[in-house]
Amino acid sequence: MPENISRTKIFHGFFLLGILFFASVPAPAQEPFVAARLDNLTAEEMAPLALTDSMYYHFDEWFTRFADAIKRLESAPPSLKNRVELMKHHFNYAGLLGELGHTLAFTSKYQDEKITGKFLYHSNRVKDLARDILDSATVKLDQEAASNLYLGAVEGYIGIFEYGRGNLITALINGFQADNHLEKALLLNPKLADAYFGLGMYRYGNSRIGGFGNLIMQGGEDLRLVGLNHIKRAILNEAAALPLALKTLAWFYISEQINPENTGLPSDNPLSRKQARENAVSLLTDLENRYFKRPSPHSHFRGNKELAMMKALQFVLDQNYEKARGEFKKVLTISDHLRGRGFQINPQLVQSVQAGIEFCELMLLQVSGEEDKRAACFKVNAQIKFLNSGGSMVEYDSKKIRRELHTVFSDALQRMTEKMNCGPA
């Protein structure tokens, strides 16, 4: 039974989040075989292929395949088995839309109504079908566990969506329901490793953000370690959503490095900056080795911008500004390529990345004379003003995390002004 499984909590959407894809990575040499038999695969067999392809920004094929499967199942006899499969395909469609929204850098201020409308439609179909299955007198134990898992997963997705739109009460309700359904799924089938992933994000996300939601749903307790350990457990047990779990855990450990609550912790504490950094670097290396070292199965792939962004932030925290600049430039190059392919990426992402590049270049400035010093001070003070007027190098909806990220960059700039004896910005 999972640790603290009896607690009621709210799910807070934190970064990149897809709870329930069944991840496996097809070798490029197997593609002709896979392509030939895709129409005969179940939803659980198709989902890992779609998830892996989403990491290479290959979406359209899977939207078509899931839509075809949904149409076929809706025309089939309404057996319990068919309803379970239909529920899974609707979730796969909603989950893939969630990954597309992440690729496009959706925030509370930037969304595509067509995409969000489809997301809500397929998510609500999952909820309706899951409840219908759970109400069935003939439901089997494995179907009950699966329905609770998918129901909890989609409620988590909706909670993220509503939080991003500023609908806190709706997000709280969906988060509460998601937590309970994932707990029920694990009680029915403790081997559902992906449920540990979802519950881990609840525990950690609520504790990290804190505030009213954490007070109401977790009694204000700090369950960050509980959450991190749940996600580790999902990874160690080869959870179906393994690549997403790896990305999420890497981001959480980056986030712990900037968390002021960890100030003064001894280096052997699992939440200390030293331990968090080691874990983040290890996870980023693992992600790169697993998914991006070998040739991509798609010729259009130019790199994963989410991985590049996390590496850029880690290099900034390490004060390795040359490598950070290189990763920020990768994000910009990949984003330009995706826009050329028709992806309507949030313009604010591009502006923020450009500001990140400029920041790194300022940190790398070498001044040799009074004129150079004046020019450098002008640039540094200009970027301090940019940050103080609401600009950022990383877009983030949570005010708390955005404030902490702001501090990392502004403190570095302030040290630069002191080093060069610049006047006030």
Side-chain angles (χ1 to χ4, degrees):
M1 184 176 294
E3 183 178 0
N4 288 318
I5 199 162
S6 63
R7 301 178 188 276
T8 54
K9 300 141 191 100
I10 161 98
F11 173 73
H12 180 90
F14 211 73
F15 186 55
L16 34 90
L17 304 170
I19 295 177
L20 178 71
F21 276 101
F22 298 83
S24 64
V25 183
Q30 294 176 326
E31 281 187 31
F33 171 69
V34 170
R37 65 183 182 95
L38 275 178
D39 292 339
N40 298 319
L41 296 181
T42 66
E44 291 187 8
E45 290 170 328
M46 290 174 69
L49 305 179
L51 172 60
T52 302
D53 271 355
S54 75
M55 298 173 76
Y56 306 123
Y57 308 121
H58 186 79
F59 292 98
D60 289 348
E61 173 187 352
W62 296 103
F63 284 129
T64 299
R65 290 188 179 279
F66 290 141
D68 288 346
I70 289 169
K71 184 177 180 180
R72 173 177 52 79
L73 287 164
E74 287 178 339
S75 301
S79 66
L80 189 60
K81 180 180 178 181
N82 281 347
R83 291 203 299 275
V84 171
E85 189 73 359
L86 183 59
M87 171 190 68
K88 294 176 180 179
H89 275 298
H90 274 294
F91 180 83
N92 289 343
Y93 204 117
L96 199 60
L97 287 166
E99 289 305 302
L100 177 59
H102 180 61
T103 297
L104 302 179
F106 280 6
T107 66
S108 58
K109 297 179 182 178
Y110 181 82
Q111 295 186 14
D112 183 310
E113 290 301 321
K114 184 177 179 180
I115 293 174
T116 56
K118 285 184 177 181
F119 165 78
L120 287 173
Y121 167 76
H122 288 283
S123 296
N124 285 319
R125 286 293 290 136
V126 175
K127 292 176 74 171
D128 291 342
L129 286 160
R131 288 167 178 162
D132 180 52
I133 294 163
L134 291 171
D135 287 341
S136 173
T138 60
V139 64
K140 298 177 181 178
L141 183 63
D142 62 331
Q143 293 171 331
E144 185 180 0
S147 296
N148 275 285
L149 179 58
Y150 280 86
L151 182 55
V154 82
E155 286 166 338
Y157 261 135
I158 294 173
I160 296 167
F161 176 77
E162 295 296 347
Y163 180 89
R165 291 171 59 160
N167 300 327
L168 181 58
I169 299 302
T170 305
L172 285 169
I173 293 170
N174 276 278
F176 177 82
Q177 293 171 333
D179 195 71
N180 286 340
H181 285 121
L182 289 175
E183 287 180 344
K184 182 66 178 296
L186 277 173
L187 289 171
L188 292 167
N189 183 357
K191 294 182 180 180
L192 293 175
D194 290 271
Y196 283 102
F197 176 29
L199 290 173
M201 293 197 300
Y202 291 166
R203 307 306 190 256
Y204 179 85
N206 277 318
S207 301
R208 183 66 174 89
I209 299 300
F212 177 76
N214 190 46
L215 177 64
I216 296 300
M217 305 308 250
Q218 292 190 164
E221 288 191 67
D222 183 356
L223 299 179
R224 285 176 293 159
L225 275 177
V226 173
L228 293 172
N229 287 332
H230 277 338
I231 300 173
K232 287 180 183 178
R233 180 171 181 170
I235 291 170
L236 289 173
N237 285 280
E238 296 289 319
L242 180 61
L244 299 182
L246 287 166
K247 287 196 293 182
T248 301
L249 192 58
W251 168 249
F252 285 174
Y253 277 121
I254 290 172
S255 139
E256 282 306 303
Q257 293 174 66
I258 65 172
N259 189 349
E261 293 180 21
N262 298 334
T263 302
L265 290 179
S267 60
D268 60 348
N269 188 293
L271 292 177
S272 69
R273 186 182 187 279
K274 179 178 183 294
Q275 294 293 324
R277 182 193 177 278
E278 288 178 359
N279 287 326
V281 171
S282 176
L283 287 159
L284 292 174
T285 301
D286 192 8
L287 267 169
E288 194 158 27
N289 289 338
R290 284 176 185 261
Y291 303 109
F292 305 115
K293 282 293 187 182
R294 63 169 177 260
S296 164
H298 302 289
S299 60
H300 58 64
F301 183 64
R302 296 292 183 275
N304 185 280
K305 64 182 178 65
E306 289 78 20
L307 177 62
M309 178 62 82
M310 287 193 288
K311 289 176 69 175
L313 289 174
Q314 185 58 60
F315 283 131
V316 167
L317 294 176
D318 293 343
Q319 298 184 24
N320 188 335
Y321 299 117
E322 185 171 354
K323 286 189 175 180
R325 177 177 60 182
E327 295 299 328
F328 276 128
K329 286 184 175 180
K330 284 183 186 178
V331 177
L332 203 58
T333 299
I334 295 166
S335 298
D336 286 343
H337 171 72
L338 290 174
R339 287 204 309 272
R341 287 180 54 201
F343 287 80
Q344 301 298 313
I345 293 176
N346 186 349
Q348 188 59 51
L349 170 69
V350 176
Q351 295 172 24
S352 296
V353 172
Q354 288 172 333
I357 294 170
E358 292 172 9
F359 164 82
C360 292
E361 289 175 345
L362 285 177
M363 294 297 101
L364 293 168
L365 274 179
Q366 298 292 328
V367 295
S368 57
E370 198 61 31
E371 187 174 342
D372 286 347
K373 176 184 166 183
R374 283 196 299 271
C377 285
F378 177 81
K379 292 178 181 178
V380 171
N381 285 337
Q383 191 152 76
I384 291 175
K385 289 179 180 178
F386 165 77
L387 287 174
N388 291 340
S389 62
S392 67
M393 282 71 172
V394 182
E395 282 300 297
Y396 205 85
D397 269 340
S398 167
K399 291 181 180 179
K400 181 179 181 181
I401 306 300
R402 187 167 62 246
R403 184 167 58 248
E404 292 171 7
L405 288 167
H406 177 280
T407 299
V408 170
F409 290 96
S410 62
D411 283 357
L413 289 166
Q414 190 60 44
R415 289 194 298 270
M416 191 77 165
T417 65
E418 293 170 1
K419 178 182 177 181
M420 296 190 298
N421 295 315
C422 300

